[in-house]
Amino acid sequence: MIAGYPLDTIYLYILIGCTVISILLFIFGDIFDFDGPLDPMLMVPWIAFTSLFGIIGENFFNLKSLVVFLISGGIATIIVFLMNFYILVPLKNSESSIAITEKDLEGQKATVITPIPLKGMGEIKISSVTGTITRPASYYKPQVEEVKAGSDVLVIEIKDRVCYVVPYKENFI
């Protein structure tokens, strides 16, 4: 008992408090960037798991309170380490979007779908990891002959959603 309250009641109140803090971190966690040694995304679950296993230890095992606290803290440390290593770190390192910008398309190799006339536009297909994009295409500089469907081109520049291309050659030398 601490201040007249049983330890399992104190553990329960701490667990409820951690639940409320976890909900607030879930909603507002992206606003704050915690990169220090005391990251709330790690501390709150550690306290919550320690409280949870403290309730279980106090109610179901006949051990001293200090032993229950140390065992529950050790189990919580292992769980939070695994959670951080296998869930939080990969989520922080992952991209937030799979969208591609027009600037990313410049320098990409594309395949001609609709032949590009010498003075006019055709259509190209750009394949990437995120999928396939089709765009209208025109020559970057004047050409001698038109590129036929199925040929490869290199995207040089994109203006107003139109790709300006040159015929793709494996070796530019």
Side-chain angles (χ1 to χ4, degrees):
M1 292 187 88
I2 297 179
Y5 294 103
L7 284 177
D8 57 345
T9 305
I10 294 172
Y11 282 136
L12 180 64
Y13 289 152
I14 291 173
L15 185 60
I16 292 169
C18 287
T19 304
V20 171
I21 292 171
S22 295
I23 292 169
L24 292 174
L25 279 175
F26 180 74
I27 295 170
F28 301 112
D30 288 339
I31 296 173
F32 308 106
D33 189 22
F34 298 104
D35 284 334
L38 298 177
D39 188 1
M41 295 299 279
L42 298 176
M43 292 302 296
V44 172
W46 185 85
I47 295 169
F49 281 124
T50 302
S51 299
L52 176 68
F53 293 119
I55 291 170
I56 293 171
E58 290 291 331
N59 288 327
F60 295 112
F61 298 107
N62 193 14
L63 297 172
K64 293 190 180 212
S65 296
L66 181 62
V67 174
V68 169
F69 176 73
L70 292 176
I71 291 173
S72 63
I75 294 171
T77 301
I78 293 168
I79 291 173
V80 168
F81 171 77
L82 293 174
M83 181 182 72
N84 183 43
F85 188 72
Y86 288 111
I87 296 172
L88 293 179
V89 170
L91 283 176
K92 284 181 183 178
N93 293 335
S94 69
E95 293 289 326
S96 60
S97 173
I98 60 171
I100 190 165
T101 64
E102 287 187 349
K103 208 64 166 155
D104 294 334
L105 297 177
E106 293 178 359
Q108 295 285 326
K109 184 171 95 169
T111 305
V112 177
I113 298 173
T114 305
I116 305 171
L118 294 176
K119 292 186 180 184
M121 286 193 197
E123 189 174 16
I124 61 171
K125 173 179 71 170
I126 304 170
S127 299
S128 67
V129 178
T130 59
T132 303
I133 300 170
T134 58
R135 293 288 164 102
S138 184
Y139 290 114
Y140 182 69
K141 56 185 178 180
Q143 298 292 317
V144 178
E145 61 183 55
E146 71 177 37
V147 178
K148 298 185 180 350
S151 301
D152 290 332
V153 292
L154 182 66
V155 178
I156 301 296
E157 184 178 32
I158 299 176
K159 285 185 189 173
D160 299 324
R161 297 185 51 85
V162 176
C163 297
Y164 292 93
V165 299
V166 295
Y168 182 79
K169 297 175 187 158
E170 195 65 38
N171 294 324
F172 289 102
I173 300 175

